[in-house]
Amino acid sequence: MHYQYLAGKAKHLLGLCLLAGGLAAAGSVLAEEKAAAAAGEPLKIGFIYVSPIGDAGWTYQHDEGRKAVEEKFGDKVKVTVIDSVPEGAEAERVAREMASSGNKLIFGTSFGFMNPLLKVAKAFPDTAFDHASGYKTAANLGNYNARYYEGRYLAGIIAGSMTKSNTLGYVAAFPIPEVVQGINAYTLGAQSVNPAIKVKVVWVNSWFDPGREREAADALIDQGADIVTHHTDSTAVVAAAEEKGKYAIAYHSDMSKYGKKAQLTAVTHHWGDYCVSEVQKVLDGTWKPSSIWKGIKDGMVDLAPFSDAVPKDVVEKVTTAKAAIVSGELQPFAGPVVDQDGKEVVAKGSIMSDEDLSKMDFYVKGVEGKLPK
Amino acid sequence: MLILILTATVAASIPLVYAALGELVVEKSGVLNLGVEGMMVIGAVCAFMVAAETGLLWLAVLAGAVAGALMALIFAVLTLSLMANQVASGLALTIFGVGLSAFIGQAYTSVALDGLKGLSLPWLSSLPVVGKLLFSYDILAYGALLAFFGVSLFLYRSRAGLILRAVGESPHSAHALGYPVIRIRYFAVLFGGAMAGLGGAYLSVVYTPLWAENMTAGRGWIALALVVFATWRPGRVLLGALLFGGATIAQFHVQGLGVEIPSQFLTMLPYLATIVVLVIISRDANVIRLNAPASLGQVYHDDVH
């Protein structure tokens, strides 16, 4: 009855909206290109983001990379940003438009942009593409990602030292290796200073849903977690901890504004140096697709300034561990690593390979619950 | 622990109660407004903007309600005065609301806000168990309960409510009896918008005191489903909201406790329940005839007889 009609109508409406939006965007891009040609050919660079830039979070950090590029190269580059691009077909359209309007280097900063970028890269062999957080490369498609888990390990040391209930809460988005690495590294870091630690994980099945993130954080706190952290994009978890008088370790960006008392530190990621070097290579004509996975040593992952609540001796412990990670002495996933069932996954004396890391699908001992698969 | 789960459940169900009660009144008058999500999200952004600018939470909540009502006014003009199709207009209202709220809320995505705190009543709140369970919420939570009693009494114990239901059952008969069908429906739609706006305001200034694009995240659609789930009865709306809210909260607690139920399964439970209820009531024509407003979703014009 009405509901069938409804579905048909909705498709119709959506189609019209998309068409109108596409036409408008195409028009403005053409106009820009003419203007650029007249002014003497700066390198055109495009950034495609999955969400609005905002003031904290994943896309915000990537946009800091964009700012670094503009600051460094000034007039030599012309940067176009398109944000809030949904993963999938829409991303392909946007990338195609960016490439065909003369952008010679295009950054796509969401996992789900991988296949769309791969397709568009094939169609535009003269354009360089860099994709964040994926695993595929092509003749003109590179990828880059950060070893967030190194920062998680350090954050775990703080949480393990400061918890009174020995229960830590972790709000997680989707059970993909990147998120699981973070949970495990955090647990191992906490265990390195406090073997009795338990980590409770709640999956919200969304990267960004403040309401659900909030509910998840509340549930974890109600179950005895006195320090919560998150691998989701909003500031809701930090805000929940602030309201309930608990501690939080933020992710992506420094979120101390949302939890003045709650935030102990934040695990942050930084893309400026990488973006600048990629732009330089394109300018020099030496760009080749690369597969980058860097961590604390290269400044791609870092911790936000510690709050006053973190005791001096804990700060020292973390500083020492950080130096050890930089020197390569300390590896979060150095053996022995034991999974939940007590099985030794990494033997003593060996280190988990990058390949195994990128396929991680188990919880280490100390994480409660079953990993959804 | 159980008390904590229960209080969290109540808090999660408040926005649903507001939005669904509003939509219930709208549908009882024979109008189907699918724009609940759009009105909610506009209510959320406007309430947040006012709260961030003035710091006055009561004004923010009021602004949320007014903004929701204004959105509803657009819908009312389109469908009641201009005779546009209700289903299409409602969908358009949602798409419009989500986009507009993202646009006007852009500058507010990074603002931190001190939300509305729970009440602390002289000695009631400190009672063991009962204090936490019954007397620890914020004022909007009690407002939702008040709204429930208000709507129930209005619909089933007042003359105005009887007229509204008559308009929903048979606008032509109501018109023949001399009731201003269009005007009554206008009021119902505006009321529904204000209630959806309140639900949105609750989300952005109380529940998660922050503004984020699309932060209602489908709660408007749940509210719509809830009205059907409740077979258009206010009491069941209240119960259903608690049930739906409980399902959300329960899934997080279940995960935290390490019970092996896929979280995705629990996420879909409310929708599954709605479908089951729809199927059950659709099998029995009498149930539909008794509860669903007969003229629901149909365009009405005074001149058509």
Side-chain angles (χ1 to χ4, degrees):
Chain A
M1 20 170 259
H2 289 299
Y3 289 97
Q4 285 167 357
Y5 181 60
L6 171 162
K9 208 74 179 174
K11 268 187 204 153
H12 219 83
L13 264 169
L14 268 174
L16 273 175
C17 293
L18 290 181
L19 188 68
L23 284 175
S28 64
V29 164
L30 271 177
E32 272 170 31
E33 195 179 12
K34 274 182 195 151
E41 300 295 325
L43 174 68
K44 290 178 80 173
I45 303 168
F47 282 82
I48 308 175
Y49 303 144
V50 71
S51 55
I53 296 161
D55 193 47
W58 173 257
T59 294
Y60 176 78
Q61 295 301 120
H62 281 280
D63 197 56
E64 293 291 295
R66 189 266 310 168
K67 282 186 203 154
V69 166
E70 288 196 321
E71 200 169 293
K72 168 92 197 219
F73 296 102
D75 288 345
K76 281 190 269 178
V77 294
K78 185 171 180 317
V79 177
T80 311
V81 172
I82 301 189
D83 67 14
S84 310
V85 178
E87 298 181 335
E90 188 69 3
E92 190 185 325
R93 184 188 67 77
V94 170
R96 202 173 280 281
E97 219 169 73
M98 270 197 165
S100 62
S101 62
N103 287 290
K104 287 297 163 211
L105 174 60
I106 294 172
F107 293 93
T109 67
S110 187
F111 181 81
F113 292 169
M114 183 166 66
N115 289 326
L117 284 180
L118 199 63
K119 264 194 196 168
V120 178
K122 262 192 203 132
F124 293 88
D126 298 334
T127 305
F129 293 84
D130 276 316
H131 176 236
S133 78
Y135 54 84
K136 288 184 186 167
T137 54
N140 57 334
L141 172 69
N143 68 36
Y144 61 107
N145 206 0
R147 295 179 189 268
Y148 315 99
Y149 65 87
E150 293 181 350
R152 292 287 188 187
Y153 186 89
L154 298 178
I157 295 178
I158 299 178
S161 310
M162 291 185 66
T163 176
K164 300 226 158 49
S165 63
N166 284 345
T167 305
L168 305 178
Y170 208 119
V171 178
F174 291 103
I176 62 169
E178 185 182 303
V179 179
V180 179
Q181 287 159 16
I183 295 168
N184 286 339
Y186 187 67
T187 310
L188 292 172
Q191 282 170 345
S192 74
V193 291
N194 181 350
I197 217 79
K198 280 185 305 190
V199 175
K200 284 177 184 277
V201 184
V202 167
W203 298 94
V204 292
N205 298 314
S206 168
W207 289 115
F208 187 89
D209 183 342
R212 289 166 64 81
E213 290 171 48
R214 170 61 191 256
E215 284 156 1
D218 283 348
L220 286 164
I221 290 170
D222 289 349
Q223 291 188 8
D226 58 354
I227 302 178
V228 287
T229 188
H230 60 107
H231 195 139
T232 47
D233 288 358
S234 92
T235 51
V237 172
V238 177
E242 177 82 3
E243 202 184 302
K244 297 221 165 175
K246 306 289 178 190
Y247 289 127
I249 290 169
Y251 185 54
H252 297 307
S253 312
D254 187 338
M255 298 179 177
S256 49
K257 196 165 128 192
Y258 305 90
K260 288 184 191 75
K261 285 189 219 119
Q263 181 183 299
L264 296 172
T265 183
V267 177
T268 58
H269 41 85
H270 307 272
W271 310 99
D273 292 347
Y274 168 78
C275 291
V276 165
S277 80
E278 289 292 289
V279 172
Q280 190 63 57
K281 283 182 203 158
V282 172
L283 282 171
D284 298 345
T286 58
W287 186 90
K288 274 196 183 67
S290 53
S291 199
I292 300 279
W293 199 19
K294 288 179 175 170
I296 286 194
K297 187 176 152 208
D298 298 285
M300 216 174 227
V301 174
D302 207 347
L303 294 182
F306 302 142
S307 84
D308 298 338
V310 184
K312 255 210 178 109
D313 60 314
V314 178
V315 174
E316 266 164 39
K317 266 188 232 168
V318 178
T319 316
T320 317
K322 191 176 170 183
I325 288 181
V326 169
S327 71
E329 235 172 279
L330 174 64
Q331 297 268 3
F333 290 105
V337 175
V338 179
D339 76 3
Q340 265 184 324
D341 310 324
K343 202 177 92 194
E344 193 177 75
V345 188
V346 183
K348 196 176 158 75
S350 63
I351 293 166
M352 200 169 202
S353 69
D354 278 2
E355 202 195 329
D356 286 346
L357 273 174
S358 63
K359 282 193 278 199
M360 190 175 284
D361 62 350
F362 64 89
Y363 281 151
V364 296
K365 206 166 175 205
V367 184
E368 297 206 328
K370 272 272 170 292
L371 179 62
K373 280 178 191 168
Chain B
M1 171 79 94
L2 190 64
I3 294 169
L4 290 169
I5 295 179
L6 289 175
T7 51
T9 296
V10 171
S13 66
I14 302 300
L16 300 178
V17 172
Y18 276 114
L21 281 176
E23 179 67 12
L24 175 72
V25 171
V26 178
E27 293 191 13
K28 274 290 182 193
S29 81
V31 180
L32 179 64
N33 185 356
L34 293 178
V36 181
E37 177 87 3
M39 301 186 297
M40 258 183 120
V41 77
I42 286 287
V45 73
C46 291
F48 188 83
M49 282 160 64
V50 169
E53 294 297 339
T54 66
L56 300 172
L57 291 177
W58 64 268
L59 192 66
V61 171
L62 188 72
V66 171
L70 282 177
M71 284 290 282
L73 184 64
I74 300 177
F75 175 82
V77 170
L78 284 174
T79 59
L80 300 178
S81 298
L82 303 176
M83 308 292 152
N85 178 289
Q86 293 179 5
V87 170
S89 306
L91 282 175
L93 195 70
T94 287
I95 298 172
F96 172 64
V98 170
L100 180 68
S101 64
F103 177 62
I104 59 179
Q106 231 171 14
Y108 293 88
T109 44
S110 56
V111 179
L113 189 72
D114 281 331
L116 204 56
K117 292 278 168 328
L119 290 179
S120 142
L121 296 166
W123 55 274
L124 286 174
S125 300
S126 51
L127 286 176
V129 184
V130 186
K132 189 110 185 73
L133 201 55
L134 297 180
F135 304 109
S136 67
Y137 305 104
D138 53 89
I139 195 129
L140 276 180
Y142 300 105
L145 198 63
L146 211 65
F148 158 69
F149 286 119
V151 166
S152 303
L153 289 177
F154 169 77
L155 281 178
Y156 297 104
R157 293 279 180 277
S158 82
R159 198 175 145 69
L162 185 68
I163 295 169
L164 181 110
R165 282 188 293 141
V167 165
E169 292 304 327
S170 173
H172 298 294
S173 316
H175 177 67
L177 287 170
Y179 294 118
V181 171
I182 298 291
R183 202 183 313 158
I184 290 169
R185 286 187 168 179
Y186 256 96
F187 279 120
V189 170
L190 288 182
F191 174 76
M195 291 289 273
L198 274 179
Y202 179 82
L203 281 176
S204 68
V205 301
V206 182
Y207 199 53
T208 35
L210 61 89
W211 163 251
E213 197 176 320
N214 208 359
M215 74 176 295
T216 46
R219 284 178 184 80
W221 295 109
I222 294 196
L224 268 167
L226 197 54
V227 176
V228 180
F229 176 85
T231 55
W232 295 270
R233 305 286 282 271
R236 293 181 195 162
V237 164
L238 199 64
L239 202 73
L242 285 171
L243 216 63
F244 284 21
T248 337
I249 298 302
Q251 65 153 302
F252 296 127
H253 278 275
V254 161
Q255 283 191 53
L257 292 171
V259 182
E260 271 182 73
I261 302 177
S263 58
Q264 291 88 343
F265 176 77
L266 290 161
T267 314
M268 74 179 194
L269 267 187
Y271 301 98
L272 200 65
T274 304
I275 294 171
V276 168
V277 169
L278 260 177
V279 168
I280 292 173
I281 64 169
S282 302
R283 285 174 61 87
D284 189 344
N286 284 325
V287 179
I288 295 192
R289 218 171 293 139
L290 274 177
N291 294 305
S295 74
L296 185 61
Q298 290 166 16
V299 172
Y300 165 80
H301 194 283
D302 278 347
D303 300 332
V304 181
H305 288 283

